């Protein structure tokens, strides 16, 4: 059988070296380790010479060095000098894949193909050494890091390793160094779909070592304390024939005849339903996974070369790199943040409310801050219900192995509930999660202020009300800060931290510090209706309801927003946030900006009737309910004219460009990048679109509305 990498030659990669003058090279250091049964293991350590804050990445120079080292080991194996080769990484890190700061500079499709071919050429040598090859996954392994492991014959993993993922689809590309062919042929198509497509599209979800091991991505798992020693001992057993490795892809075990195509078909329907068809990379990855059923390794690698070359030189990947840099860099250095040294310690948290949102807050603060948390509500029954929910969530986390019994018991002991606000006296952080009505929020803060110290932080989770007004009647309004979560609380990565006119810098610094400890990304916004995410969504949802009230068919409204690439259409989004909440948000924005935001009488009636979408037995939307269509038709004004898809698309684009321009002019956030960051993290705006402001530049809305662009030069991308 022909070698899978014989189709590549080292000379074809010379052009890539010009792109890597300042590459932080990940070196391949070799040392010989005697094996217990005799013979020598050549142990290759990947190390870029930096500490753990700069993971090892794989650029052209590093890959070519790796290839040369593998060639040397193959020659040694041919001479009988070594019994096997193993690859591991510097402490806590195997490798974080390609250096994205360089990949984004690739100038052409041809260079993109060459980059894919170089990965196959270098990593593919692990499978053609003439002796067994092993990868000891000692920590973080992302993208190309996982593909280093997949190209070897055998893999072990450190039990405490986290950050195991193939995130390429999230970034607008595909696993192109063997992952799209090797992974399904190792762990089966259903598991591969989870790793390659499903997890990246769930906010880039990553695996921990036990999950990766259970999926079959590693053959053995060992504890950190003796991981390397145990891995070498295990490898020795494999080499000597004492240890037999059993896998799903042994003859007859990896089902291909029916299940493979069925799984691909189900995944394709899921993608079309969840993300539409604008994003290219998930569908390209799906095609490669489908082809892996019957193609040879050489054919699979060649297909990956062509696919990665096409995507890596395309607009969607360029836009994704912009979005990636926002999340990886700007989010970690929030604009307008005060000195961290001003932050106050948080030793006890109080939660005003015991409903679902409040209970989610309490659970998150418990797990991340590890301090006492107390909840309260109008009566003991509500408090008890909230406590029961939190205990149930802790039980479930323990059953899933995400909490051990000691930690779960410790968290339970830190949780309490009360109806006596005096029990909040020693709280230094209090957050409210009560009904979205100004007078109610003012009342609960006024009551709690009587019991807590003047320095205690009062955080409001309001989504659209004025933070300044919420604290206006307090003795110490400077202690009030907006702290707006997104639902579901545990999953969504954004918190809008609202800096009201009276908010003290120490309070703002404390809020930013708490957000970081909660492992959330915080963006500081001014105290303006809807802040960022809800103001933009209110524009989209308000226009959608206004259009259907004027006779535009629901399906045309959905079509008009489809090329925005949002993860759900406006009516599914309304159903998700709740019709009453949606109506309230539209009313709030109409009251603040009556000339630009529409209220919706029809939405209020739909909320009262509790009807909008038809759903199947599993609760999945299947269309607009006929009752909802009739209700909306009742509110059609005389002389109303439906919009065409093209008219509504232009209206939405121009309306968003105008609103965001106004937001920036009035200082709601520091820059257009912060708008994009909020929409990516808080509303699921796709990475492939690069953010809302680059999108509006590309479709011409920015120039149509205010005669310029949000970015100069424009950021490439789809749209």
């Amino acid at each position: 059988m022909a070698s899978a990498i014989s189709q590549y030659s080292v000379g074809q990669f010379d052009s890539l070296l010009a792109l890597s003058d300042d590459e932080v090279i990940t070196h391949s250091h070799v040392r010989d380790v005697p094996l217990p049964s005799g013979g020598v293991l050549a142990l290759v350590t990947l190390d870029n010479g930096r500490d753990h804050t700069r993971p090892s990445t794989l650029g052209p120079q590093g890959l070519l060095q790796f290839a040369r080292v593998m060639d040397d080991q193959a020659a040694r194996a041919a001479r009988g000098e070594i019994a096997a080769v193993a690859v591991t990484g510097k402490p806590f890190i195997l490798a974080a894949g390609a250096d994205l700061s360089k990949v984004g500079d690739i100038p052409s499709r041809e260079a993109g193909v060459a980059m894919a071919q170089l990965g196959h050429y270098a990593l593919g040598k692990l499978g053609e050494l003439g002796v067994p090859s092993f990868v000891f996954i000692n920590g973080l392994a992302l993208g190309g890091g996982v593909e280093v492991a997949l190209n070897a014959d055998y893999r072990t993993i450190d039990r405490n390793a986290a950050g195991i993922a193939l995130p390429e689809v999230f970034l607008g590309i595909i696993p192109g160094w063997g992952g799209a062919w090797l992974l399904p042929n190792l762990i089966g198509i259903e598991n591969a779909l989870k790793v390659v497509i499903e997890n990246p599209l769930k906010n880039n979800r990553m695996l921990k070592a036990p999950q990766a091991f259970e999926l079959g991505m590693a053959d053995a798992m060992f504890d950190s304390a003796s991981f390397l020693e145990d891995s070498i001992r295990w490898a020795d057993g494999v080499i000597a024939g004492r240890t037999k490795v059993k896998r799903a892809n042994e003859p007859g075990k990896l089902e291909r005849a029916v299940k493979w195509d069925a799984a691909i078909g189900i995944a394709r329907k899921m993608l079309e339903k969840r993300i539409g068809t604008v994003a290219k990379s998930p569908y390209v990855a799906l095609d490669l996974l489908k082809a892996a059923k019957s193609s040879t390794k050489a054919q699979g690698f060649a297909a990956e070369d062509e696919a990665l070359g096409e995507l890596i030189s395309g607009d969607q990947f360029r836009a994704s790199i912009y979005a990636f840099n926002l999340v990886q860099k700007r989010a970690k250095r929030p604009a307008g943040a005060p000195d961290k040294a001003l932050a106050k310690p948080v030793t006890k948290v109080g939660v005003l409310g015991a409903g679902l949102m409040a209970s989610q807050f309490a659970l998150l603060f418990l797990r991340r801050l590890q301090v006492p948390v107390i909840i309260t509500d109008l009566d003991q029954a509500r408090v008890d219900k909230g406590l029961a929910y939190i205990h149930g969530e802790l039980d479930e986390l323990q059953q899933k192995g995400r909490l051990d019994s000691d930690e779960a018991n410790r968290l339970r002991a830190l949780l309490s509930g009360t109806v006596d606000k005096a029990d909040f006296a020693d709280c230094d952080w209090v957050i409210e999660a009560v009904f979205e009505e100004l007078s109610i929020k003012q009342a609960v803060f006024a009551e709690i202020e009587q019991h807590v110290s003047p320095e205690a932080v009062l955080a409001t989770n309001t989504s659209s009300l004025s933070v300044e007004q919420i604290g206006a009647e307090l003795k110490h309004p400077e202690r009030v800060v907006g702290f707006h979560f997104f639902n579901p609380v545990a999953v969504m990565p954004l918190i809008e931290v609202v800096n009201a006119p009276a908010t003290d810098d120490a309070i703002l610094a404390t809020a930013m510090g708490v957000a970081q400890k909660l492992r959330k990304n915080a963006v500081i916004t001014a105290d303006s209706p809807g802040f960022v995410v809800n103001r933009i969504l209110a524009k989209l949802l308000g226009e959608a309801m206004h259009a259907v009230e004027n006779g535009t068919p629901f399906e045309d409204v959905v079509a008009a927003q489809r090329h925005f690439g949002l993860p759900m259409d406006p009516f599914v989004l309304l159903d998700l946030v709740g019709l009453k909440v949606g109506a309230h948000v539209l009313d709030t924005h109409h009251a603040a900006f009556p000339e630009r935001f529409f209220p919706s009488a029809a939405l209020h009636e739909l909320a009262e009737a509790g009807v909008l979408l038809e759903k199947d037995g599993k609760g999945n939307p299947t269309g607009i309910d006929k009752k909802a269509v009739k209700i909306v038709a009742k509110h059609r004004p005389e002389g109303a004219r439906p919009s065409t898809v093209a008219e509504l698309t232009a209206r939405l684009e121009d309306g968003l460009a105008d609103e965001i321009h106004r937001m920036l002019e009035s200082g709601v956030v520091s820059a257009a990048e912060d708008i994009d960051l909020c929409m990516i993290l808080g509303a699921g705006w796709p990475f492939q679109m690069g953010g809302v402001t680059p999108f509006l530049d590309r479709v011409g809305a920015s120039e149509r509305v205010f005669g310029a662009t949000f970015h100069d030069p424009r950021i490439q991308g789809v749209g």
Side-chain angles (χ1 to χ4, degrees), residues 514-592:
V514 167
Q516 184 178 25
K517 289 177 182 176
L518 295 176
R519 304 178 193 173
K520 301 292 186 182
N521 295 294
V523 174
I524 295 174
T525 83
D527 187 17
S528 179
F531 316 127
V532 174
V533 175
N534 279 347
R535 184 160 166 182
I536 293 174
L537 292 182
K539 190 69 180 174
L540 288 171
L541 298 178
E543 293 284 357
M545 288 306 303
H546 182 70
V548 294
E549 286 177 19
N550 278 274
T552 306
F554 281 85
E555 55 269 25
D556 285 358
V557 175
V558 171
Q561 293 196 20
R562 187 168 289 134
H563 81 301
F564 288 33
L566 286 166
M568 58 187 74
D569 74 50
F571 306 110
V572 173
L573 179 59
L574 268 174
D575 182 74
L576 178 68
V577 302
L579 302 184
K580 290 185 178 180
V581 172
H584 174 76
V585 168
L586 295 190
D587 287 348
T588 300
H589 284 82
H590 175 67

Side-chain angles (χ1 to χ4, degrees), residues 170-285:
F170 183 66
L171 297 170
I173 51 177
I174 50 96
W177 290 348
W181 190 90
L182 294 168
L183 189 66
N185 282 294
L186 175 69
I187 66 175
I189 187 59
E190 291 172 316
N191 286 341
L193 284 165
K194 182 182 185 71
V195 177
V196 175
I197 294 178
E198 183 181 332
N199 283 354
L201 295 181
K202 288 183 175 178
N203 280 319
N204 202 18
R205 179 177 292 178
M206 299 186 187
L207 301 169
K208 294 183 178 179
Q211 297 169 310
F213 177 64
E214 185 177 346
L215 288 172
M217 294 174 70
D219 300 307
M221 183 166 61
F222 302 112
D223 292 332
S224 300
S226 55
F227 173 69
L228 184 57
E229 294 85 350
D230 289 343
S231 293
I232 292 171
R233 193 176 300 111
W234 182 85
D236 180 59
V238 173
I239 297 163
R242 298 189 307 273
T243 301
K244 302 297 182 184
V245 178
K246 296 183 179 180
R247 294 185 186 143
N249 67 342
E250 291 177 354
K253 286 192 174 181
L254 196 60
E255 206 284 325
R256 297 175 185 271
V258 177
K259 185 185 290 186
W260 199 291
D261 290 339
I264 293 290
I266 292 169
R268 191 176 299 278
K269 289 179 182 177
M270 179 273 293
L271 281 176
E272 291 171 353
K273 188 172 187 178
R274 279 190 56 201
I275 66 170
T277 56
V278 172
K280 297 177 183 176
S281 60
Y283 293 98
V284 175

